[in-house]
Amino acid sequence: MARVVVDVMLKPEILDPQGQAVANALPRLGVADVASVRIGKRIEIEFDGAADLDRAREIADKLLANPVIEDFTLRVEETPAEGEQQ
């Protein structure tokens, strides 16, 4: 079994109100050295057999990300064999 991880982030020019809220809260927690925070999504797609990056890219482009305001990246992540611990 193979896993493809899709990371979806707002494009840099799009305002991120969730990230701004987190960044504004950090000083109240005593964290003063963070310049900015961006919030995104991580989606894991598990394929039977080998990872299919072309299929994962199609899924991400058509379903998981809004191409007008979001960018996405794909990467293959090894999954442990049955009985192995993570």
Side-chain angles (χ1 to χ4, degrees):
M1 187 176 312
R3 177 181 299 148
V4 175
V5 176
V6 182
D7 291 311
V8 181
M9 296 293 295
L10 287 171
K11 291 183 177 186
E13 62 271 15
I14 302 297
L15 180 67
D16 183 356
Q18 285 181 305
Q20 253 184 346
V22 170
N24 291 340
L26 289 174
R28 292 191 296 271
L29 298 174
V31 179
D33 57 347
V34 174
S36 69
V37 176
R38 305 281 294 171
I39 304 290
K41 299 180 280 190
R42 172 189 163 115
I43 299 102
E44 297 179 359
I45 304 170
E46 290 190 358
F47 289 94
D48 291 328
D52 187 340
L53 285 174
D54 290 334
R55 177 62 56 95
R57 183 173 287 107
E58 180 181 4
I59 293 168
D61 190 47
K62 292 182 177 178
L63 183 64
L64 303 177
N66 178 345
V68 174
I69 62 170
E70 295 173 316
D71 290 325
F72 65 88
T73 59
L74 304 172
R75 70 179 183 279
V76 176
E77 189 173 89
E78 295 298 321
T79 57
E82 280 189 40
E84 287 184 22
Q85 291 185 350
Q86 291 187 0

